[in-house]
Amino acid sequence: MAGSIRRQAAPTAPADVAPLARRCRPRSGRLRAHVAPFALALAWAPAVAPLGCGSDPPPSPSVATLPRGDYSLRVTDGTIVLLAGVEERLTLPREALELGLVAEVSDSASYDPYWLEYGGTASAPAPEPPAELTWERPTACRVEPGTAGSVEVACDYPHATARISLRAEADGRFSLTLTPIERTEAGALHVVYVRAGLRAGLREGYYGLGEWPDSVEHRGKLRPMQIELDGELESQNNEAHVPVPLLIGTSGWGVFVESKRVGLFDVARKRPDGVDVTYAVSNVKGAAEPWKMHLFAAKEAIDVTKLYYDVTGYPRVPAPWGFGPVMWRNESRDQAEVESDIAKLRELDLPATGLWIDRPYATAVNTFDFDPARYTDAARMMRAANDAGLRVALWHTPYVEAKAGPLRQEVESKGYFVPTSGIPLNSWSVPIDFTNPAAVAFWQTNLRRYTGLGIEGFKLDFAEDVVPGLRDRRLVWGFADGRDDRTMHHDYTLLYHRTYQELLPQEEGSFLICRAGRYGDQRNVSVIWPGDMDASFTKHRERFVPRGGDGTEVTGVGGLPATVIEGIGLGPSGFPFFGSDTGGYRHGPPDKELYIRWFEQTALSSVMQVGDSSSQTPWEFLPSNGRDQATLDLYRVYARLHLRLFPYLYTHARATAQHGRPVMRPLGLAYPRLGAHPNFDYLLGDALLVAPVVERGQTERAVLFPEGEWADVWDGSVRTGTGAPQAVSAPLERAPLFLRSGGVVPMLRPTIDTLSPVADPARTDSLATTKGSLWIRAFPGRSPSRFDVFGGGVITLTPEDDGFVASAEGWSASPNVFELYGVASASRVEQGGAPLPKLEPAALEAASAGFAWAGRVLVIKAPPGSVRVFK
């Protein structure tokens, strides 16, 4: 069905009279397991009660409760339940907290749990599990005295014990730390894995877990928390550039695994009501490492991410100019081309707030200069950009290639490269060792050559060389501070990004657009872009023959549909700012239809970055891209729409520090009662529903509207959410976009070009020159509405018996323009008790005050203050 709406039917519950032998047998035929001498608790039952296996009697009850505010943890015989009041949100049965043990820990093994579950392919079968791997479940657990705000649980396993420390961290936020304790006698087994089998509802929807290109919701998916080899995909990896071990359930709970080791989430794939979380804890230097998991609960599922931010840090908001269209070419030929692009943007009246210069611009990678043969006066180029109201960023990487000459020699002689390296996944060099303070100081000193010139951001590419292993084998890396690949596959990304972030403006935000990210990296990264996606309408893993190729079919990483999914999924995962390459990357350029559908979608996302692998700008009409003047004119409409949305988008971006809700929100997470999980529909902030077209030739698509009324932004028609998908028109020039009843969307004026100061205000319309009028698209509802614009301005809608009052104050002294949807009639409009004149739309543009009907939309222009609309 159009729109790819997937509903989840309730699976059939297993028979509750299953033989005890089946309940107690090992989980896998491939692995040997020691099983507790009592049966597994029924996972689907509301309370967990031990059942006997054989003739062993059940243990004595052991109960404790750990309350915090409206939520609590209840521990019964080792079974842990997360409660909201008396409602059970999530259960961790005692027997589902397993340890994986081996006779001897191998220093060459990665202990990547992905390969225990992933079956591999015929050409690349999965490796065998570690030799003599044994899974054990607790035989008994005891609650022991703890300090205030904590509960201690001791669990016995056949060949080990474990201490579980439960802490109440804040209202709705708890932590669980499991410390394995191995036996010391000869022949003792060693713990290499911890597995937690979580139980939730049969109809639960699962969100989070980072950037994935195949599905916004994860039921039935196997999600490794690291990059994995995948020989079927054209990228040769699983595209896990931003794995985040935060899983959110639609009933209002979350789990976050605070581990830098290799891990895996098996999401309702083996059982319909549960998630298995498996992590490596092996340590050849000593006992197994402690393993920590956070348990979250919130009234609404969309609010769980705030609790994650409370633990890991709040996201860095991009600089304001990052919220306008940002241009780039895949290859920048020289300074003349960059300056020509700057001039062309303003000559063609194309809104833009920034650009970045991609390679090659330096003498070599990375020489921290501009090649004098092609960039004769970089300072002049920077002035030209800034005069046009554009801020500038540069592509960069953590490498120094051999052609860098003396700089490369200095890096080598001073030991700034990683001392022990695995297989570098780039063609330039081993990465810089950012655990070495001297290397960081050296790198930042050189970066200041760019920031001193006026560079205000970076596009940080690559830096994913430190992978945790090749299937089940380690790729050994060693760093200056003693860390190795076991944790640096996580940490290297953060250290790389932090090195740049520290040099950028901090007060208003900075601009780092990065391919990769890990949990906690949201403190450094401004924007995620998904890397090299296909210039196509294809979905992830769809086989297709690329345009302009040799006719060879490939298994694609995914095109426009995949990037929409990635952006929606990243928001609740802790990275709320996302911008894909407009038009894709691999197999570019995009053709005309694809390009239009792509810029329609990126204009209605948090970040609109415009460029693709072909280095063809919107104004270049070539046979290879099929673009024409109509394409450019439509691009201008959507680029300006994105920039006009700045007050709305930036206000929502800054509000993440208060409520944690992302700018782009999955519909199924924001409205769990829908019971459906659309892949391509999302909320943009509180008020807008975006339903992009992601299929070739589609001019109508199905949209699932949440409850309430929704106005079509393009024609003013109103729809009511019924719980069933509705067909909406989607001609090529229109991206389906709807405004919620009660919604308020503040916008900039229709002529806006940029946000930064400009040298020629008469030519380039900038917000820095004048704030001007605030345009407000709103849908008066049955209840009062309010929108506080970041930086000044309060907008309210107040219903009354005979109409409503619309108010906007505090933005500027210029008249406000209300575009009001869902208004059936207006007999008169008053301000301060005086009637406003009714005009034709063209006349209203020139007037200082009045009202007009533009189709179904009531347009009111008036000085700051309140206007009253009578039915």
Side-chain angles (χ1 to χ4, degrees), residues 705-722:
F705 292 95
E707 60 187 29
E709 293 182 315
W710 298 82
D712 188 315
V713 166
W714 304 110
D715 64 19
S717 61
V718 175
R719 295 171 180 268
T720 301
T722 63

Side-chain angles (χ1 to χ4, degrees), residues 43-55:
W44 59 92
V48 179
L51 302 175
C53 274
S55 57

Side-chain angles (χ1 to χ4, degrees), residues 488-544:
M488 282 299 288
H489 73 97
H490 175 280
D491 285 346
Y492 189 84
T493 304
L494 278 74
L495 295 174
Y496 169 43
H497 296 160
R498 189 176 70 190
T499 298
Y500 289 74
Q501 178 57 57
E502 290 174 346
L503 299 183
L504 297 176
Q506 303 295 312
E507 290 185 5
E508 276 201 336
S510 58
F511 189 81
L512 282 187
I513 183 166
C514 304
R515 177 201 294 263
R518 300 293 186 270
Y519 77 77
D521 205 15
Q522 71 273 2
R523 300 189 304 269
N524 305 313
V525 173
S526 308
V527 183
I528 292 291
W529 105 94
D532 301 344
M533 307 303 288
D534 294 314
S536 70
F537 280 105
T538 56
K539 296 180 174 62
H540 181 64
R541 292 192 181 278
E542 183 177 340
R543 293 191 63 80
F544 73 106

Side-chain angles (χ1 to χ4, degrees), residues 31-34 99-102 130-136 159 189:
L31 309 180
R32 176 168 61 90
H34 292 276
L99 301 180
L101 301 96
V102 294
E132 295 300 309
L133 174 61
T134 296
W135 287 102
E136 295 186 348
H159 291 89
L189 301 180

Side-chain angles (χ1 to χ4, degrees), residues 299-313:
K299 183 177 180 181
E300 301 290 340
I302 195 72
D303 294 322
V304 168
T305 306
K306 182 184 185 303
L307 302 172
Y308 165 79
Y309 288 147
D310 289 339
V311 175
T312 63

